Amino acid sequence: MTTTMTRIDAAISLEEAMQFAWLEGDLLDSADYDAWLALWTPTSRYVVPIEPGATDFENTLNYAYDDGMMRAKRVDRLTSGQSVSASPVPRTVRLLSRFRVLRSDAEGCELRCAQLLTEFRRERERSYAADIEFLFVRTADGLRIERKVIRLINATAALGGIGYIL
Amino acid sequence: MDTNLPTGSALDVLVQSDRARTTLYTDRALFEQEMTKVFENTWVWVAHASEIAKPGDFKTAHVGLQPVIVVRDRKGEVHVHVNRCRHRAATVCEVAKGKTSSFVCPYHGWAYALDGSLRGVPFEAGYDGQLDKPQLGLRSLRVEEYNGLIFATCKPDMEPLTDFLGGAKKWIDLFMKQGAGFPLITQGEHKFRFPGNWKIQLENTTDAYHFPLVHKSFLSAADRETVDSWDIMRKGGYVEDLGNGHSVMVMMPELVDLEADLDAPIPEKFEALAAELRHDHPEQQVRRIVRAVGGCGFNLNLFPNLGCSAAFFRVLQPISVDETEIRHVALGMQGGPAAANRARLRIHEFFQGPMGFGTPDDAEVWDRVQHGAAGGRDLWILLNRGLSHEEMLPEGGRRSDVSAETGMRAAYRQWKKLMEA
Ligand code: FES
Ligand SMILES: [Fe+2]
């Protein structure tokens, strides 16, 4: 083992976490879905809850509560051309900022940030603002996502169809 | 200038038994008439009993465009009040759901009890004792309940709910069997809007015809058994006109009665759930719960705003002539096994809501209908599918194959009747 490698139990820094969150956002905006699917741990969840304070996602209705299999299906839906709402897939641009590390230790790093996303499809532009809570872990292959929770500020209001990955 | 719409048989230019004019989706004047003539002269679904289970529980809703509060008073009685202060019209509640002991208007502080009566008026002396408080309670609508479904009507002499539901009652009872012996409860909801007329969604609840095409991406993502059970064009299902605008579309005849066939093999997709339930439940109950977990095999359309749709409630709310809000309310078993309620939540998330694998595609095609309806305003929306082989039933109903537009014809017949009145 080379001495320049980071130890697997080293806490993730704000700088590393930020870079990783941006990488994830960039892969989604540029529709590089295979690379996106590879960012996740086998036990990970992608969650878009409805109720603002929800934490027991498993026993609550969410907009999305995806394990690896569901994420792969979501990607298939966007790329298969079978879904009329995803043909074409909306263009998206997301800006992530206001990063704050809530906790970072050998177990992982909880990063909270803001996301402003603009979508465009069929002459219609819409935007969604959200708080994102990431849980990142360090693995032998680099950083991975263990959990991503997207709390839309208007989650309890009526949304439009979201034909892409938030 | 006479802006009145044609009445009586003059409505034939807009709706005939097998067709409707494109302007039904686009005409603003017609929309305004619908909001009173249709929505204020019928029973409108406002809540499921479990949403306001305890005294003081309330939720806000709409009857047509009128904002209302559905609330259970201290004695357990349900009231539906127009959400409008009797002083100068401010809403007295802007919270979607909650628990309270009174409704206090934020403007000048008039306070109303749960039963709607006016209890407090700040600085009442300014009225010199002339304020007729007993006459100034919140306006209350008539409320009736059938098997947990709570309806309200603005029409004082509306026929009793049970008569209005008529042939739909049997289907409501069948739908409620998905509680598998536990009381049915709501488990949250997905809410979304699409830029189109409310009747586009009304039609869709009994439209099997679109399923294989629009929901192709859902079917591709689903497991083999789910795909087989959704092979609805080939399973001998049917649509039946139940009268008063109501209809039922039976997609999976084998899942009409969830308490029948409990000895049938458990689908592979529910094997893990069954195994988990066996730890705490006898085999017959395991089978009953597992059979009910995916909901029933039919969509019941209750004119004008509720669909009891397989495993959830579909509630439609007109916003304007070209905007509609839809809620998909998830259901569960009160006090039932958590694993089974979780399974229901995951099934709901998979298809429904703005990020589901089904709803966004529905919303997209409805949006396309509204866009297309700007063209050819004099053309007809064709509702004649399945008419040529529709049978008249002995009790007066009509039935045709699963992809027939029988349910839509039923809804438009009722629409016409109310608009003509
Ligand atoms: S408007 Fe409600 S108290 Fe005045
Ligand atoms: Fe559909």
Side-chain angles (χ1 to χ4, degrees), chain A residues 127-145:
Chain A
S127 59
Y128 286 106
D131 283 308
I132 299 188
E133 296 159 10
F134 282 112
L135 175 57
F136 295 145
V137 293
R138 196 187 298 284
T139 74
D141 301 321
L143 298 193
R144 289 291 178 268
I145 308 170

Side-chain angles (χ1 to χ4, degrees), chain B residues 84-92 105-112 122:
Chain B
R84 178 208 186 274
C85 181
R86 291 298 301 278
H87 177 220
R88 279 182 5 230
T91 55
V92 298
C105 179
Y107 201 174
H108 312 92
W110 287 28
Y112 302 88

Side-chain angles (χ1 to χ4, degrees), chain B residues 31-32 35 39-40 62-68 317-320:
Chain B
F31 177 82
E32 272 165 35
M35 292 307 106
F39 280 84
E40 296 186 3
H62 285 84
V63 173
L65 296 182
Q66 296 202 44
V68 299
Q317 172 61 47
I319 305 294
S320 64

Side-chain angles (χ1 to χ4, degrees), chain B residues 354-370:
Chain B
M355 295 188 75
F357 281 46
T359 299
D361 295 325
D362 281 321
E364 172 76 10
V365 291
W366 304 337
D367 178 336
R368 299 275 280 262
V369 171
Q370 189 71 25

